[in-house]
Amino acid sequence: MEPVKSAPEERVAEPLTEYVHRVNRRVRAFDRRRPLVWDLHLTGLWVLAAMIDASGGWRNVAHDPGVPTGLVIALSLALSVPLLWRRSHPQAALLATLPAALLNAWSGAALQAALLQLLLVHHIALRLPLRNLWWAVALAVAPTCVAVARYGDSAGSWNQQVGSQLLSICVAALIGITVRTRRDHTEALEDRARRLETERDQQIRLAAAAERARIAREMHDIIGHNLSVVTGLADGGRYAAAKSPERAAQALDAIATTSRQALGELRRLLDVLRDEEQDGPRAAELAPQPALTDLDQLLDGVRRAGLPVRTTVKGHPALPEGRQLTVYRVIQEALTNTLKHAGPDATAHIDLSYGTGGAVALTVTDTGHGGPAPGPTDGRGLPGMRERTSLYGGTLEAGPRPGPERGWRVHLHLPEESPQ
């Protein structure tokens, strides 16, 4: 059986406008790379056209056909060669052609090369401030006035000659102004696109930084708390091992349970960072963030680690998930710091009050050693709590309890939610 041959793909004809744009882009790219080469070629083209007219065609429109050939050649060159500087110095190029244009009009040669001054007017309108057009128009009209004044009716009437020259100058200037306006508009759009791209990149970097900070807070809260609990349980199990093996076994069981919980929370957090391409049965089963309903489990783990905790709750909790997570993490961090720094025989007390509209007042105190307030570089605990609190316009205070009481005090206040 012969293999089936696929039909050749039909080539779609390229639209003419797209082809013109592509060629135009290539020409402009070459012009940007080699501007002198482009100027030399175009100037050579105009010089060649002027010299062809100087070979004899100029007599068909001349007011005085008896002008010497040498003068005609010199005038043709003087009117065409300055075009080489039409883009870099159009003002100076127009001034350079003025003597030849005036002599051309006075002698009666009426060379067609004089029309090249319109190209210089076009470049003045395109590249220089528009106020320069006034004297450029005057310089371009002056040779016509000289020709009409010298040759009278043979050169045509004043209205016909001067009006026709002014119309040609206006058309050349308007074309330059139109091209300049379009170029400026295109540059403005390109600049705006660049600025939008820069702003987009900045937003991406800011979002990435914020996400890194959020992940760092979560990992600090998960790992720091659970490791503190494990450390407390390990210390208690070591002391109990010699006198009460049963208590030591209970401590080891609690360490295993706490470690598994920490590992599970950490695994869920890392699953969030996976690519979103993992959908379906292989996607990570994400558990919700801790809420105030998980507070009893947190306190049980702290108590097993050897820190007695009392709680006082006023009001009825009716908070959004974000505020619940903030209150939960602040309690977790405060108890973690107590486990780390309060020393043996310390106790903790949690006073939690719920107000209306999502307002919360939380105070966590302990009877540990206390001490000076940590600085801004002393870990991520307190900065993380303050960052969470600031998201809801709240305040957080942390420091030693006022004398004569010993210990540390953390106070959180979240105001009512603002109406949408």
Side-chain angles (χ1 to χ4, degrees):
M1 183 175 180
E2 296 183 357
V4 179
K5 296 182 179 180
S6 59
E9 296 183 359
E10 297 183 359
R11 295 188 62 183
V12 180
E14 185 178 19
L16 179 60
T17 55
E18 187 173 337
Y19 174 77
V20 172
H21 285 313
R22 183 161 55 85
V23 173
N24 186 38
R25 286 195 297 269
R26 290 183 178 179
V27 171
R28 289 179 178 273
F30 178 80
D31 185 29
R32 286 192 294 269
R33 293 195 305 268
R34 305 281 182 85
L36 182 59
V37 174
W38 189 253
D39 288 341
L40 286 173
H41 278 78
L42 284 183
T43 303
L45 177 64
W46 292 116
V47 171
L48 180 61
M51 296 307 295
I52 291 175
D53 183 58
S55 64
W58 62 276
R59 291 188 175 88
N60 296 327
V61 295
H63 305 308
D64 182 5
V67 177
T69 304
L71 180 60
V72 171
I73 294 174
L75 291 176
S76 298
L77 292 174
L79 290 169
S80 57
V81 171
L83 292 179
L84 182 61
W85 298 278
R86 70 189 184 283
R87 293 196 295 183
S88 57
H89 301 89
Q91 204 169 359
L94 182 60
L95 286 173
T97 60
L98 181 61
L102 293 174
L103 184 57
N104 175 55
W106 182 263
S107 65
L111 297 174
Q112 299 298 309
L115 296 176
L116 295 177
Q117 285 188 315
L118 298 178
L119 186 58
L120 297 174
V121 173
H122 165 81
H123 279 277
I124 290 175
L126 178 63
R127 304 178 186 282
L128 299 181
L130 295 181
R131 61 178 179 270
N132 294 311
L133 277 176
W134 296 107
W135 67 264
V137 170
L139 294 180
V141 172
T144 302
C145 296
V146 170
V148 174
R150 178 168 174 77
Y151 293 98
D153 294 338
S154 62
S157 64
W158 278 90
N159 294 337
Q160 181 182 0
Q161 292 297 316
V162 177
S164 176
Q165 182 70 359
L166 283 175
L167 180 61
S168 300
I169 293 172
C170 289
V171 170
L174 285 175
I175 293 175
I177 293 173
T178 302
V179 174
R180 178 178 187 166
T181 302
R182 179 177 176 82
R183 182 193 63 190
D184 293 344
H185 179 65
T186 303
E187 290 177 354
L189 291 178
E190 292 175 352
D191 179 68
R192 183 171 181 269
R194 284 192 296 269
R195 286 189 284 107
L196 289 176
E197 185 176 357
T198 302
E199 292 176 2
R200 183 200 62 187
D201 294 341
Q202 290 176 347
Q203 292 294 332
I204 292 175
R205 287 195 292 270
L206 290 175
E211 185 64 14
R212 286 196 297 269
R214 185 190 69 82
I215 294 172
R217 288 196 303 267
E218 293 297 329
M219 293 191 70
H220 173 273
D221 292 338
I222 293 171
I223 297 175
H225 171 75
N226 286 286
L227 286 181
S228 297
V229 172
V230 167
T231 301
L233 290 170
D235 291 339
R238 183 182 61 185
Y239 291 125
K243 299 181 179 179
S244 177
E246 295 180 358
R247 295 289 300 274
Q250 293 176 359
L252 291 175
D253 292 338
I255 289 174
T257 301
T258 303
S259 300
R260 281 192 292 269
Q261 291 176 352
L263 183 61
E265 291 186 29
L266 184 59
R267 186 173 295 155
R268 285 193 294 269
L269 179 62
L270 295 177
D271 285 339
V272 176
L273 304 180
R274 291 182 179 177
D275 294 337
E276 296 180 357
E277 298 176 356
Q278 295 184 356
D279 296 327
R282 298 183 62 185
E285 297 181 1
L286 303 180
Q289 292 277 29
L292 292 177
T293 54
D294 303 311
L295 193 57
D296 291 338
Q297 183 179 357
L298 173 69
L299 298 180
D300 289 341
V302 173
R303 292 185 181 111
R304 286 197 303 268
L307 176 64
V309 182
R310 294 184 300 108
T311 60
T312 302
V313 180
K314 301 177 184 177
H316 300 284
L319 302 179
E321 293 181 358
R323 290 186 171 229
Q324 289 192 42
L325 178 62
T326 298
V327 175
Y328 180 93
R329 291 303 191 196
V330 169
I331 294 175
Q332 184 184 50
E333 179 63 25
L335 295 179
T336 300
N337 290 337
T338 300
L339 284 171
K340 289 180 179 178
H341 309 296
D345 300 329
T347 61
H349 179 240
I350 300 173
D351 188 353
L352 184 58
S353 298
Y354 300 103
T356 58
V360 180
L362 167 69
T363 302
V364 181
T365 57
D366 63 55
T367 59
H369 296 299
T377 60
D378 294 341
R380 294 195 53 86
L382 289 177
M385 287 194 290
R386 290 194 173 95
E387 289 173 4
R388 292 181 184 275
T389 305
S390 64
L391 293 177
Y392 300 96
T395 58
L396 186 134
E397 301 173 359
R401 298 172 65 184
E405 298 176 336
R406 295 194 323 166
W408 196 266
R409 175 180 178 272
V410 176
H411 178 71
L412 165 71
H413 173 69
L414 297 182
E416 296 184 8
E417 294 183 276
S418 58
Q420 300 294 330

